[in-house]
Amino acid sequence: MKTLAPHFPRTRMRRVRRTDWSRRLVAENALTPNDLIWPVFVHEGEDLAIDIPSMPGVKRLSLDLLKVAAKEAHDLGIPAIALFPAIEHDLKTDDGREALNKDNIICKAIKAIKDAVPEMGVLCDVALDPFTTHGQDGLVQDGYVVNDPTLDVLVGQALNQVEAGCDIIAPSDMMDGRIGAIRDALEQEGHRDTLIMSYAAKYASGFYGPFRDAVGSTGNLGTGDKRTYQMNAANSDEAIREVALDINEGADMVMVKPGMPYLDICRRVKDEFGVPTYAYQVSGEYAMLAGAGLNGWLDREKIVMESLLCFKRAGCDGILTYFAIEAAKNLQG
């Protein structure tokens, strides 16, 4: 779109910036609590909130505290919570079989939220890394994460979560064909209204470190990495192919991860497909902003709210962010 305007002084761009009301009147994007999804880490125990040192202010919650947190989020207008498990080490196996346990911590967390706040949307990650001894998102054979055998486990994990009451299945594993396999299984089992938010463009990023601390997979991964299935940070066109495939396989919504370093991908996805598009403001992004705020280097409220608004400007319909609660409170004034 080309905008034509007369020259200065007939045109003065600062006219509409002069007052608060005029700035609000011409604002092109707006952030509301409806745009926020709150990622929460859960673990076993009672009345137990454990600090995550690399994510100052973020805690792992036991199920009783999760109920309280869900009620607060709902009262603030946040539509959905994303659940991530920190499971005990002795439950981790090479094949991640705990992901299929109908009484695992995620299934119990889903039920806890639905009991406390039935109207709250629940999003569940589908990947094996929190449940495996090796910290990879899929099954490993001869040192390689194998695609097709992993799909069967991911389908089982997804069905397990949906049967517990999950509303949005969010496959983050980046195995080829997993959206189609999960969608077909959901249809066959009668779960026709279950949403899929695909981690369609998930990059092999250094910004995930604090998250792995939170779910207890850092030590398991060791010197390994996830570059054989997560995307290369150098690539943009590849992300568009990934998104197209996932839409064709049945994804209702797509996600870009990480968020702030990949706003160009968010914009391309929204422009090219027009589908509901989300970004994950990941743990490393949170740690940078929170750390700068704690040290007095930056104004925390300003940078948090600015960063979230920039996701909207880049075309995102919503953001998964650990700042969801404080952002919602800021928006309430």
Side-chain angles (χ1 to χ4, degrees):
M1 179 179 67
K2 187 175 181 180
T3 301
L4 299 177
H7 297 297
F8 175 87
R10 293 175 181 85
T11 295
R12 291 181 182 268
M13 296 296 291
R14 291 182 57 191
R15 287 187 192 120
V16 295
R17 301 176 194 153
R18 181 175 176 83
T19 60
D20 175 70
W21 67 262
S22 60
R23 290 191 296 269
R24 288 187 286 117
L25 195 64
V26 300
E28 298 172 26
N29 296 282
L31 180 74
T32 78
N34 294 328
D35 301 315
L36 306 175
I37 298 174
W38 185 28
V40 179
F41 300 105
V42 295
H43 61 186
E44 297 285 2
E46 187 174 348
D47 192 24
L48 190 60
I50 297 179
D51 291 325
I52 302 166
S54 55
M55 299 180 70
V58 176
K59 302 176 185 291
R60 300 190 196 107
L61 302 178
S62 54
L63 299 185
D64 54 330
L65 298 182
L66 175 64
K67 291 183 176 183
V68 176
K71 289 177 181 177
E72 180 184 17
H74 179 263
D75 290 344
L76 287 168
I78 295 170
I81 286 178
L83 293 172
F84 297 94
I87 72 168
E88 298 167 6
H89 182 74
D90 59 2
L91 293 175
K92 299 188 179 193
T93 57
D94 286 349
D95 60 4
R97 69 179 71 101
E98 178 65 12
L100 306 179
N101 178 4
K102 294 186 182 299
D103 197 37
N104 67 27
I105 184 62
I106 285 295
C107 291
K108 289 192 285 189
I110 296 167
K111 294 172 184 175
I113 291 176
K114 290 300 183 181
D115 285 345
V117 194
E119 305 85 4
M120 174 66 72
V122 177
L123 178 151
C124 290
D125 180 73
V126 176
L128 299 184
D129 51 325
F131 302 96
T132 56
T133 51
H134 46 70
Q136 296 287 359
D137 292 27
L139 304 178
V140 176
Q141 295 178 7
D142 299 323
Y144 183 74
V145 177
V146 291
N147 196 94
D148 296 11
T150 296
L151 296 184
D152 293 335
V153 186
L154 297 176
V155 167
Q157 182 183 17
L159 291 174
N160 193 31
Q161 294 170 347
V162 172
E163 288 163 5
C166 176
D167 302 295
I168 308 173
I169 290 296
S172 67
D173 55 283
M174 289 298 286
M175 298 296 113
D176 291 333
R178 87 270 201 222
I179 300 301
I182 291 171
R183 175 57 74 199
D184 288 347
L186 291 172
E187 288 288 324
Q188 290 167 10
E189 296 298 321
H191 303 297
R192 298 179 181 87
D193 295 326
T194 299
L195 297 167
I196 295 180
M197 179 188 289
S198 170
Y199 287 63
K202 182 179 179 181
Y203 286 83
S205 172
F207 285 94
Y208 302 148
F211 174 91
R212 291 172 184 160
D213 292 341
V215 299
S217 66
T218 302
N220 297 331
L221 191 61
T223 59
D225 59 58
K226 303 187 178 186
R227 290 181 292 177
T228 67
Y229 50 99
Q230 294 178 359
M231 286 184 54
N232 185 340
N235 295 353
S236 175
D237 291 343
E238 182 185 15
I240 301 306
R241 292 182 65 196
E242 288 278 12
V243 172
L245 286 166
D246 285 0
I247 294 170
N248 287 333
E249 290 180 21
D252 303 287
M253 302 171 277
V254 296
M255 185 200 301
V256 176
K257 182 181 179 183
M260 290 170 64
Y262 296 87
L263 292 179
D264 60 314
I265 309 300
C266 297
R267 183 75 266 168
R268 283 197 65 185
V269 169
K270 191 63 175 180
D271 286 347
E272 297 204 24
F273 300 106
V275 297
T277 302
Y278 295 78
Y280 197 144
Q281 188 178 48
V282 299
S283 59
E285 299 172 64
Y286 174 89
M288 289 192 304
L289 298 180
L294 284 172
N295 281 285
W297 299 331
L298 295 170
D299 183 311
R300 175 168 173 146
E301 180 177 338
K302 287 182 178 179
I303 60 174
V304 167
M305 302 309 289
E306 180 180 341
S307 70
L308 296 175
L309 183 60
C310 289
F311 284 111
K312 296 288 291 182
R313 192 196 65 231
C316 292
D317 296 283
I319 311 106
L320 286 83
T321 176
Y322 302 98
F323 292 114
I325 292 292
E326 65 182 274
K329 289 179 179 177
N330 291 337
L331 289 167
Q332 284 190 346

